[in-house]
Amino acid sequence: MVDLVNGIYAHWPSTQVLDAVHLPLCEGLHSASIDLAYYGPLAELDVPKEVHVSAGVVRAADTVDRMRLALDAAEQMANRGQLGVSCPCGMGRRPADVGVIMERLVALANS
């Protein structure tokens, strides 16, 4: 994923602004890792500090405390300060979970 983001940025047209990148760090049935080593490649993320980087660690099935551990590990390895928070992909496939996901997003962002 880091190679993909770095490759996109390396070829990004100078006439366009890259505002943000989204890193899906978990998937539907699996929580984001809390293992620091898992996020080691984030140290190689090569986009400017002004590009907002969002960590897709929010799942309806996880607690805010669990997601905070994953986010902390990602932030430590990315060495960019605070990362944004997001779910790993769009919520359109899980309309029943939208309310819970939004609550978790806000709680994690405020934690």
Side-chain angles (χ1 to χ4, degrees), residues 72-101:
D72 287 347
E75 287 176 340
Q76 185 175 341
M77 295 311 290
N79 196 28
R80 298 177 58 89
Q82 266 188 329
L83 299 177
V85 295
S86 62
C87 52
C89 63
M91 292 182 275
R93 288 177 256 165
R94 296 179 314 278
D97 293 336
V98 169
V100 173
I101 290 171

Side-chain angles (χ1 to χ4, degrees), residues 2-3 7 12 14 16 24-25 28 31 39 41 46 57 60 62 74-75 81 83 85-86 89 93 100 104-105:
V2 169
D3 288 342
W12 196 258
S14 61
Q16 300 295 316
L25 299 177
S31 301
Y39 298 103
D46 190 26
V57 298
D62 288 335
E75 287 176 340
L83 299 177
V85 295
S86 62
C89 63
R93 288 177 256 165
V100 173
R104 300 255 188 328
L105 281 165

Side-chain angles (χ1 to χ4, degrees), residues 23-38:
L23 306 173
L25 299 177
C26 63
E27 58 179 294
L29 298 177
H30 303 284
S31 301
S33 178
I34 58 173
D35 179 12
L36 193 61
Y38 176 81

